Amino acid sequence: MRRATAAAAAATLALIAACSSPSDTTADPAPNPRPTQAQSPSEPAPTPTPPPEPPRVTPDDARVRTAMDAVRHLALEIGPRPGTTKAYFEAAAWVERQLTGSGWSVERQRFPTPAGYSWNAPVEAGPSVNLIATQGELQPGEPWLAVGAHLDTVPLAPGAEDNASGIGVLLAVAEALQDTRSRLPVVLVAFGSEEPRGEGDAHHHYGSRAYVASLTPQQRQSLRGMVSMDRVGVGDVLPVGTPADGPTALTDALVEAARSAGVETVLDTGQDSSDHWSFVRDGLPGARLGGTSYGAYHSAADLPAVVNRAQLERTARTVLAWLR
């Protein structure tokens, strides 16, 4: 019995010795291993490379066909579109689709418009909308620019020149800025109910007045200029309009932009008959492009044949040069 017990004990000791042998591949690793380079806590994660900035917009980025297509669609497919009518909202929906298709975010700003008499016929009261298009988020206090055009017409007028021409250039500007950048953030606005509904300033420019009233104190302070494009498809020279008796810093900048884009201009002083006036009367910098007289003004003859492609191009080139 003692020999068997001794033998068993010897076998057990031999087994324990074998299990603790240095050749055992399951042994615990050495404590506190040296960290590898990837594990080093002292090295920050690599910073991702930001994407390259898009190129600056140029006057050559203007695509006149976009403007002319808009003139044809608004004047021929939709036709007369006073600011509170079903036709106006159809036009607004179409313009919104064009803007979003060019990568812009569009907000609808609803506002009331009274009844009245618009040039050649009575018009009913009702809501209208502005279309406010932005790219990215405008930071409070950050300098910015605004470009606008009114979308409505007087009754009976298809409004090719007044003002599908301005809306067409607005869409061409939006398209040109889709893959480029401007010197400052830009807000594009298609205004409703610009046309008069009575005599005097109080019965005019309802959409732009609503837009200006909605601006915050910071937005007012940081606005560097607003340009209204109104009747920009007729003429051989581009009118630059201001309510002042002479040039302003903004009109000087527009004239210089036009010169750099190869566009001839004429200064039109005392000009307060477009949406820029809603800004100027509130102490904000505003100017108008367009306004050459033409025989089909506010009539059923205001059709695409009235509109000159070259004048649309002059306007688009001037605006893009100013935004550049």
Side-chain angles (χ1 to χ4, degrees):
M1 288 292 292
R2 290 193 185 98
R3 288 177 183 168
T5 301
T12 299
L13 291 173
L15 180 60
I16 292 173
C19 290
S20 60
S21 169
S23 64
D24 185 0
T25 58
T26 63
D28 291 337
N32 300 321
R34 183 176 182 179
T36 64
Q37 184 174 5
Q39 295 172 321
S40 175
S42 62
E43 295 184 12
T47 303
T49 303
E53 279 193 316
R56 290 282 283 271
V57 71
T58 74
D60 293 337
D61 293 321
R63 189 169 178 263
V64 185
R65 180 177 177 178
T66 296
M68 199 67 219
D69 286 349
V71 169
R72 295 192 186 98
H73 181 84
L74 292 170
L76 299 179
E77 301 298 323
I78 297 178
R81 46 194 183 277
T84 59
T85 61
K86 179 180 178 181
Y88 177 79
F89 281 92
E90 180 184 348
W94 183 82
V95 170
E96 182 174 2
R97 289 195 297 272
Q98 308 315 302
L99 289 168
T100 56
S102 292
W104 293 72
S105 299
V106 178
E107 172 194 351
R108 287 192 169 210
Q109 181 184 39
R110 197 175 179 91
F111 61 90
T113 307
Y117 196 87
S118 184
W119 195 258
N120 52 14
V123 283
E124 296 182 354
S128 188
V129 294
N130 295 325
L131 303 178
I132 305 169
T134 56
Q135 287 182 319
E137 186 176 351
L138 186 65
Q139 299 299 319
E142 181 179 11
W144 61 291
L145 303 170
V147 178
H150 74 87
L151 177 57
D152 63 310
T153 69
V154 297
L156 307 181
E161 165 69 345
D162 189 16
N163 185 39
S165 64
I167 291 293
V169 175
L170 190 79
L171 295 178
V173 169
E175 183 182 61
L177 288 170
Q178 182 173 8
D179 298 314
T180 60
R181 61 189 172 95
S182 51
R183 59 187 169 91
L184 293 175
V186 180
V187 178
L188 305 179
V189 189
F191 294 111
S193 295
E194 184 271 348
E195 296 290 0
R197 294 184 170 228
E199 297 294 330
D201 190 56
H203 303 285
H204 213 174
H205 311 133
Y206 297 97
S208 53
R209 283 160 53 192
Y211 178 76
V212 171
S214 74
L215 296 176
T216 67
Q218 281 184 317
Q219 289 172 326
R220 292 167 182 265
Q221 187 176 12
S222 57
L223 176 63
R224 295 296 180 261
M226 184 274 171
V227 173
S228 174
M229 300 181 297
D230 195 346
R231 298 200 289 112
V232 295
V234 169
D236 299 320
V237 176
L238 181 62
V240 178
T242 171
D245 295 330
T248 65
L250 178 55
T251 59
D252 282 347
L254 288 168
V255 168
E256 175 58 27
R259 186 201 62 75
S260 71
V263 175
E264 185 179 355
T265 60
V266 58
L267 187 65
D268 184 11
T269 59
Q271 175 56 258
D272 60 2
S273 58
S274 189
D275 287 309
H276 69 293
W277 174 238
S278 297
F279 291 77
V280 175
R281 67 190 293 225
D282 247 31
L284 302 174
R288 173 181 177 173
L289 294 181
T292 303
S293 297
Y294 69 113
Y297 178 66
H298 280 187
S299 78
D302 188 5
L303 294 165
V306 170
V307 174
N308 179 359
R309 289 176 60 97
Q311 188 76 331
L312 296 178
E313 183 174 14
R314 293 182 192 105
T315 308
R317 290 180 62 84
T318 297
V319 171
L320 292 177
W322 178 63
L323 296 176
R324 176 176 168 78

